[in-house]
Amino acid sequence: MRYLTTLKVEAQPEGPPPADLMEAIFKLGQEATEAGALLHQSGLAPSSEGARIEVSGGRLTVSDGPFAEAKEMISYALYEVKTKEEAVEWASRFVKLHRDLWPGWEGQVDVLRLYSPEDFAPPA
Amino acid sequence: MTVADSHRAVEAVWRIESARVIAALARMTGDLALAEELAQDALVAALEEWPRKGVPDNPGAWLTLTAKHRAIDQFRRRDTYQRKLQEIGRDMELRQETAEAELDDALDDHIGDDLLRLVFTACHPALPAEGRLALTLRLLGGLSTAEIARAFLVPESTVGQRISRAKRTLTDKKIPIELPPPAELPNRLASILEVIYLIFNEGYAATAGDDWIRPSLCEEAMRLGRILAGLMPAEPEVHGLLALMELQASRIPARTARDGSPVLLLDQDRSRWDRLLLRRGLDALRRAEDLGTLGPYGLQAAIAACHARALKPEDTDWERIAALYRLLAHLTPSPIVELNRAVAVGMAYGPARGLELADALREERALRDYPHLPAVRGDLLAKLGRAEEAAAAFRHAAELTRNARERQVFQERAAALST
C-alpha cells in the first residue's frame, strides 16, 4: 500500500532549520529508502512560487501564491508499506526529529492512503 | 489508543526493525534459530509493555536491548554460557562486564553488514529453494508464518516446517553467519537474486486474477530488492533485478481487464502503467548500466524498458529488443528465451524471419508441451497469410494449455482463421 505524507508547519523559530535536524532528516530518509519503504520525497517551495486554481459558483479562477494559510505545506514523502501503522511510524519518526532538534517548532503530518489497483479489483 | 491499535503499532515497528534486530543477534550468538527466538521474545515483551507504558522514543533500540538482555539471561541459564562467553571473548578469560561490553559493541556496529550476512545466510544454496523463500520472508520481510502460507497457498504447518527445517539445516551443516569469500560471491549473490525474483513472480503470476494477497508479494520482493540495492550498491545485477521488478510491476494496473481477464502487453492501456515505478525502474536500469555490463536480470530489465519507453505499442523498438534477446540467449541459453527472440525478430524484421526461429524450436524437447510455441507459430503463420497452418497451430496450442481462459483465446483464433 502506498501512503502520501505531507508536512505542514504551524510555527517555527526564526532562521533556517538547525544543521543537526537537516542531517537527522537526511539519515532517516536514507534509512527509510534502504528499508525499501520510501519511494520518493521532496521539499515544497513556498506557496508564493505556486498557484491555485479554483472553481466557485461556476467560475474558474487562477490565482498566484502566496495563499493566506496558517499552515504552509513544506514537504511530502511517498511510502510503500504493508500497513497504515507502518506509514504512521515513519512519519512519527520524522516529526520526532523536529520536536527534538528544533525547539519551538510546531507542525503536523497528514498520512493519506493512495488508491491502488486492488481498490478497483473485479468482484470476487 | 486501544489495545488493538497499539498492537498494530508494535507490529509496524516490528516490521521496520525486526530484520536488523535478528541480524544483530545472529552475529552476536552465531545462531540464527536462537537469534530469531530472542527477537520474538523481545516482540512479546513489547506487546506486553508498550500498550501500558507507550511506545518508546527509539523502539528499534528498545527491541535490540531487550533481546540482548534475554540473550545474556539465556546464556547464564544454559550450560553453554561459558562456551558462549569464550566464543565472544575469542578464547580469553572474561569477566561478565567485559562480555556485556563486547555484546554492546557487537550490536552497535555494522548494522548494514549484519543485514547482509542475514540475507546471505537465509538464501544459502545449501537450503532448498522453498526453504530459502520462507526463511527470507520470515527473517527479512518480517512476515508471519500465516502470512507466508496465505501468499503461497500452502498450509501454515507446511511453511512452519520449511522454516524450521531450513534453520535446522543451517545449524546441522554448521553454516556460519558470514559474508561469503570474494570468490564465492557471484554464486551466492545469484542465489539471493533468484529467491527475490521467485517471490516477485509468485505475486506477479497472480496479479491477473482476483487474489490480491499474492500480488502483495510483488511489493515484498521489491522491498527486499531495494534493501539489497542499499546493501550492495556496487553490484550491477542487484540494480538490474530491481529495475526488472519495478518495470514489470509498473504494468500491474493495466494487466487485468474489468472482468478480471488478463490483458496482454501489447493490448494494455499504457496510460494505466504506474509512472512512478516505471521511472524508478528506468533509474535502476541506468545505475546497472553505469556499473558495467548487464547480466541476465539487467538484460531482461533493458527489454522491459524498451516497452516502458514506448508511449504506443507501435513505437516499440523491436530491433533493440531482438538484439537484447540475442545477448540474453547467449548469457542464459534457453528455448523460452529463443522463442521470445523469435517473437521480437518477427516484429522487427517480418514474420518470415521470426517463423524461421520458431520453427527451429519444434524439435526442442523442453517445449514439446509448451502451448506458447504453437501459439507464436500460429501468430506468425497468420501474418504470412498461411491461414490453414495457422489455425492448426492454434488448435494445437489450445490442446496443450491447461489454462481455461487461454484455451478459449486460442480456440477463437483458430476458428477465426478457419472461416
Side-chain angles (χ1 to χ4, degrees):
Chain A
M1 290 192 283
R2 283 190 196 159
Y3 284 88
L4 178 73
T5 63
T6 58
L7 174 68
K8 287 182 199 142
V9 61
E10 205 129 3
Q12 69 183 36
E14 287 287 312
D20 282 5
L21 175 64
M22 295 318 285
E23 200 183 313
I25 289 175
F26 176 77
K27 254 187 80 184
L28 181 67
Q30 203 170 14
E31 200 183 313
T33 304
E34 285 172 5
L38 182 61
L39 296 182
H40 198 249
Q41 75 182 135
S42 184
L44 296 167
S47 68
S48 58
E49 295 178 37
R52 171 176 287 170
I53 296 106
E54 207 170 355
V55 168
S56 174
R59 253 169 44 97
L60 188 141
T61 48
V62 177
S63 39
D64 285 332
F67 320 122
E69 296 266 16
K71 300 166 198 157
E72 187 84 67
M73 203 184 283
I74 57 174
S75 73
Y76 75 88
L78 191 58
Y79 294 95
E80 191 163 76
V81 289
K82 220 167 129 263
T83 61
K84 178 178 124 187
E85 286 74 13
E86 244 179 273
V88 169
E89 175 63 24
W90 285 114
S92 302
R93 291 183 183 193
F94 183 68
V95 176
K96 262 182 213 156
L97 294 180
H98 287 76
R99 180 197 64 189
D100 296 344
L101 299 171
W102 204 2
W105 188 91
E106 284 181 19
Q108 72 184 50
V109 169
D110 292 335
V111 176
L112 301 159
R113 183 168 77 84
L114 271 61
Y115 280 134
S116 64
E118 63 255 44
D119 291 302
F120 308 103
Chain B
M1 207 187 257
T2 69
V3 173
D5 281 345
S6 61
H7 276 195
R8 280 204 299 275
V10 177
E11 278 163 21
V13 173
W14 173 250
R15 183 156 147 91
I16 294 170
E17 302 292 345
S18 63
R20 290 194 291 187
V21 175
I22 294 170
L25 288 162
R27 177 152 63 107
M28 180 181 131
T29 62
D31 182 337
L32 200 56
L34 178 61
E36 207 210 343
E37 202 180 296
L38 292 164
Q40 295 275 356
D41 285 351
L43 172 65
V44 172
L47 285 166
E48 282 167 4
E49 207 164 299
W50 296 0
R52 282 188 287 115
K53 297 188 181 168
V55 177
D57 253 15
N58 190 340
W62 189 98
L63 284 170
T64 311
L65 197 70
T66 304
K68 190 194 79 175
H69 285 151
R70 304 224 160 192
I72 293 167
D73 285 349
Q74 282 236 16
F75 292 165
R76 260 190 215 129
R77 253 182 282 124
R78 293 183 182 187
D79 53 2
T80 54
Y81 179 49
Q82 285 306 326
R83 188 170 55 79
K84 287 286 176 191
L85 273 187
Q86 281 189 347
E87 280 172 17
I88 294 158
R90 287 170 194 79
D91 301 318
M92 285 192 298
E93 279 282 312
L94 281 174
R95 286 181 302 118
Q96 184 190 317
E97 296 93 284
T98 324
E100 289 196 18
E102 292 239 341
L103 291 179
D104 276 330
D105 289 346
L107 285 168
D108 289 342
D109 296 338
H110 316 301
I111 289 291
D113 280 1
D114 282 350
L115 261 183
L116 203 50
R117 266 188 281 267
L118 184 64
V119 183
F120 273 107
T121 310
C123 296
H124 198 280
L127 304 174
E130 57 204 22
R132 276 182 267 164
L133 282 179
L135 202 55
T136 301
L137 285 170
R138 169 71 163 266
L139 299 182
L140 284 131
L143 300 193
S144 68
T145 309
E147 286 170 314
I148 300 169
R150 219 161 51 211
F152 284 91
L153 307 175
V154 292
E156 203 177 324
S157 56
T158 309
V159 173
Q161 278 166 9
R162 283 178 191 170
I163 291 172
S164 56
R165 209 175 297 139
K167 284 193 285 202
R168 207 178 323 124
T169 306
L170 292 173
T171 313
D172 290 351
K173 295 200 174 171
K174 297 198 169 50
I175 288 167
I177 300 164
E178 63 178 16
L179 297 178
E184 259 182 56
L185 194 69
N187 267 336
R188 298 284 301 279
L189 180 59
S191 167
I192 296 175
L193 298 177
E194 184 195 349
V195 165
I196 295 177
Y197 198 44
L198 280 172
I199 294 169
F200 181 85
N201 273 324
E202 188 71 20
Y204 199 65
T207 53
D210 51 10
D211 182 348
W212 284 102
I213 296 163
R214 283 141 62 74
S216 72
L217 280 176
C218 291
E219 281 178 21
E220 197 53 51
M222 284 189 281
R223 198 172 80 94
L224 291 170
R226 289 171 196 144
I227 293 173
L228 197 61
L231 293 174
M232 305 184 82
E235 289 292 333
E237 272 294 81
V238 173
H239 297 291
L241 174 63
L242 185 56
L244 176 61
M245 292 193 294
E246 306 223 58
L247 287 171
Q248 286 187 325
S250 75
R251 298 182 199 142
I252 288 177
R255 285 181 83 215
T256 316
R258 288 219 165 271
D259 64 358
S261 59
V263 183
L264 297 178
L265 175 62
L266 294 179
D267 302 325
Q268 287 172 9
D269 174 358
R270 298 186 176 212
S271 69
R272 293 179 68 196
W273 285 358
D274 185 322
R275 312 307 297 181
L276 176 70
L277 285 181
L278 203 149
R279 206 194 59 226
R280 290 179 55 93
L282 293 176
D283 285 349
L285 177 61
R286 201 165 308 121
R287 268 194 300 280
E289 285 168 340
D290 288 348
L291 284 168
T293 335
L294 295 180
Y297 292 112
L299 281 174
Q300 291 178 73
I303 292 166
C306 290
H307 295 296
R309 289 193 188 102
L311 285 176
K312 300 191 297 285
E314 53 271 32
D315 297 340
T316 311
D317 186 349
W318 288 106
E319 289 181 25
R320 182 171 162 76
I321 294 179
L324 288 166
Y325 269 123
R326 199 190 177 92
L327 285 174
L328 189 60
H330 181 70
L331 274 188
T332 54
S334 115
I336 306 265
V337 172
E338 199 56 20
L339 183 61
N340 283 326
R341 186 163 88 88
V343 174
V345 166
M347 296 297 280
Y349 304 105
R353 292 274 303 275
L355 187 63
E356 227 172 274
L357 290 174
D359 279 347
L361 292 168
R362 294 174 80 181
E363 300 303 315
E364 198 62 60
R365 281 195 53 194
L367 293 186
R368 209 174 44 197
D369 299 322
Y370 190 63
H372 292 280
L373 174 58
V376 165
R377 288 191 64 252
D379 197 53
L380 293 164
L381 285 163
K383 281 181 181 153
L384 288 167
R386 290 155 66 175
E388 277 305 308
E389 291 164 87
F394 277 118
R395 276 195 296 274
H396 188 199
E399 280 163 29
L400 290 178
T401 184
R402 273 168 296 180
N403 180 312
R405 215 168 325 222
E406 221 172 55
R407 184 175 310 123
Q408 194 189 340
V409 171
F410 294 150
Q411 280 167 346
E412 279 166 11
R413 289 215 55 182
L417 284 157
S418 309
T419 52

